[in-house]
């Protein structure tokens, strides 16, 4: 009852992605091709592996058992095939990264273009989101996270700037109308533009000066999903709608142009930069190894 390896791989991709379309996007195939592969596998095994509805695709009990045993086996197959990659003049294959939107905007633009130019046989897929998913479960090779978000049993190497800040700013016209805060608690009397994670948690506005830490929970007329709609909040701040808190590097162009004015700058909180992290107990694919080495060549950013 030997099953085709391609059909098994297709089943695993669909089961992990939770749907044929998402799996097709992740694998570069087609939804119809994946559907046909799963159908062949189910027919050969004589058991249904996936429960399909109009909204989702979920493994049956048999499918879940198969996926549990199949995952490590497929990983070993990929590792075995990737060994051959080491004999190529240039690494080839697909590298999948799961990163926060801030990293996609502030870190990767400096690295990705020269990396792809140096390794033209590597295809890079970047999934940018702020839900902090399990990178392996999401079918990714590595991720970018900040120190407090790193998972256990992962290898982490610095990537991007090693020192970052959360800046607070507003349009000069807004501050002329409503006054300039001199202490973080003054923000409670201002219109503040807030962010919310996909989990529903609100971003915390935290400040620090001379060892004093102050946390405030201001309110305002605009609430945006972190990452996906952050630029909307920036545009609203420039238009004079209220005060925004965001990565300093994100706001820096508008601070330099004068469109936004720094607020409470002595209180801005500094923190360490992000890390590239990946599993430490499994074979490192050649595309990921190339990316790790290339990232290290950038050294430590100021």
């Amino acid at each position: 009852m030997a099953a085709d390896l391609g059909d098994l791989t297709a089943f695993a991709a669909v089961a992990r992605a939770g749907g044929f379309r998402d799996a097709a996007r992740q694998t570069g195939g087609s939804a119809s091709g994946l559907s046909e592969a799963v159908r062949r596998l189910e027919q050969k095994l004589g058991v249904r592996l996936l429960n399909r509805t109009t909204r989702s695709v979920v493994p049956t009990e048999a499918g879940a058992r198969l996926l549990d045993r199949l995952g490590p086996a497929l990983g070993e197959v990929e590792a075995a095939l990737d060994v051959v990659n080491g004999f190529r003049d240039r690494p080839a294959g697909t590298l999948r990264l799961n990163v926060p939107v801030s990293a996609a905007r502030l870190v990767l633009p400096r690295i990705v273009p020269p990396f792809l130019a140096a390794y033209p046989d590597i295809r890079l897929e970047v999934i940018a989101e702020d839900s902090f998913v399990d990178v392996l479960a999401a079918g990714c090779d590595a991720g970018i996270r900040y120190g407090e978000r790193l998972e256990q049993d992962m290898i982490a190497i610095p990537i991007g700037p090693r020192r970052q800040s959360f800046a607070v700013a507003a349009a000069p016209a807004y501050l002329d109308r409503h006054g300039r805060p001199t202490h973080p608690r003054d923000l409670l009397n201002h219109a503040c533009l807030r962010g919310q994670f996909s989990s529903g948690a609100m971003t915390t506005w935290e400040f620090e000066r001379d060892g004093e830490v102050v946390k405030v929970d201001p309110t305002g007329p605009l609430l945006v999903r972190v990452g996906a709609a952050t630029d909307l909040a920036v545009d609203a701040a420039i238009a004079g709608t209220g005060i925004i808190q965001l990565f300093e590097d994100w706001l820096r162009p508008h601070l330099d142009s004068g469109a936004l004015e720094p607020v409470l700058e002595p209180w801005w909180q500094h923190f360490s930069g992000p890390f590239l992290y990946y599993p430490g107990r499994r074979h490192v694919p050649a595309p990921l190894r190339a990316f790790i080495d290339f990232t290290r060549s950038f050294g430590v950013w100021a």
Side-chain angles (χ1 to χ4, degrees), residues 185-247:
R185 294 191 185 91
D186 293 341
L187 295 172
L188 297 176
N189 298 316
H190 282 268
C192 294
L193 314 178
R194 300 296 303 274
Q196 184 180 44
F197 293 106
S198 57
S199 64
M202 300 282 286
T203 57
T204 301
W205 287 31
E206 190 168 317
F207 302 85
E208 186 174 0
R209 183 180 185 182
D210 299 329
E212 180 185 3
V213 177
V214 178
K215 295 182 180 180
V216 296
D217 188 24
T219 60
L222 180 63
L223 176 66
V224 301
R225 177 65 57 87
V226 170
T230 299
D231 278 330
L232 173 60
V234 175
D235 291 340
I238 293 172
T241 305
I243 299 176
I244 188 171
Q245 184 189 59
L246 193 59
F247 288 90

Side-chain angles (χ1 to χ4, degrees), residues 120-208:
D121 295 328
I122 291 178
R123 178 174 180 262
L124 179 62
E125 294 183 9
V126 178
I127 296 92
E129 56 188 351
D130 286 282
S131 56
F132 305 110
V133 301
D134 182 331
V135 294
L136 297 183
C140 295
D141 301 295
I144 294 178
R145 293 289 185 269
Y146 287 85
E148 72 276 9
R149 295 287 185 173
L150 292 177
E151 301 170 18
Q152 295 181 349
D153 299 326
M154 292 283 184
I155 295 175
I157 63 172
I159 186 173
R162 301 324 308 146
R163 176 183 167 90
Q164 292 185 289
S165 304
F166 278 126
V168 181
Y174 171 89
L175 297 173
D176 289 342
R177 291 195 309 271
H178 300 282
R180 287 164 172 78
T182 59
H183 190 278
R185 294 191 185 91
D186 293 341
L187 295 172
L188 297 176
N189 298 316
H190 282 268
C192 294
L193 314 178
R194 300 296 303 274
Q196 184 180 44
F197 293 106
S198 57
S199 64
M202 300 282 286
T203 57
T204 301
W205 287 31
E206 190 168 317
F207 302 85
E208 186 174 0

Side-chain angles (χ1 to χ4, degrees), residues 18-210:
F20 291 95
R21 290 184 179 179
D22 287 342
R25 282 193 291 267
Q26 293 177 11
T27 61
S30 68
S32 59
L34 291 172
S35 178
E36 177 62 21
V38 172
R39 187 197 63 77
R40 282 196 306 266
L41 182 60
E42 290 178 327
Q43 187 175 43
K44 191 171 189 65
L45 298 179
V47 63
R48 178 178 290 277
L49 299 174
L50 298 173
N51 284 324
R52 306 160 176 81
T53 70
T54 56
R55 293 187 176 182
S56 66
V57 175
V58 180
T60 62
E61 182 178 357
R65 295 277 186 92
L66 176 60
L67 185 62
D68 286 342
R69 300 294 296 272
L70 195 58
L74 289 177
E76 288 299 318
V77 171
E78 291 177 2
L81 293 174
D82 191 64
V83 169
V84 181
N85 221 350
F87 291 90
R88 295 173 53 93
D89 293 333
R90 296 182 304 195
T94 299
L95 171 61
R96 297 181 180 89
L97 300 179
N98 184 282
V99 307
V101 173
S102 59
R105 184 184 182 97
L106 304 176
V107 176
L108 292 183
R110 182 172 172 177
I111 298 175
V112 167
F115 171 74
L116 294 178
Y119 297 97
D121 295 328
I122 291 178
R123 178 174 180 262
L124 179 62
E125 294 183 9
V126 178
I127 296 92
E129 56 188 351
D130 286 282
S131 56
F132 305 110
V133 301
D134 182 331
V135 294
L136 297 183
C140 295
D141 301 295
I144 294 178
R145 293 289 185 269
Y146 287 85
E148 72 276 9
R149 295 287 185 173
L150 292 177
E151 301 170 18
Q152 295 181 349
D153 299 326
M154 292 283 184
I155 295 175
I157 63 172
I159 186 173
R162 301 324 308 146
R163 176 183 167 90
Q164 292 185 289
S165 304
F166 278 126
V168 181
Y174 171 89
L175 297 173
D176 289 342
R177 291 195 309 271
H178 300 282
R180 287 164 172 78
T182 59
H183 190 278
R185 294 191 185 91
D186 293 341
L187 295 172
L188 297 176
N189 298 316
H190 282 268
C192 294
L193 314 178
R194 300 296 303 274
Q196 184 180 44
F197 293 106
S198 57
S199 64
M202 300 282 286
T203 57
T204 301
W205 287 31
E206 190 168 317
F207 302 85
E208 186 174 0
R209 183 180 185 182
D210 299 329

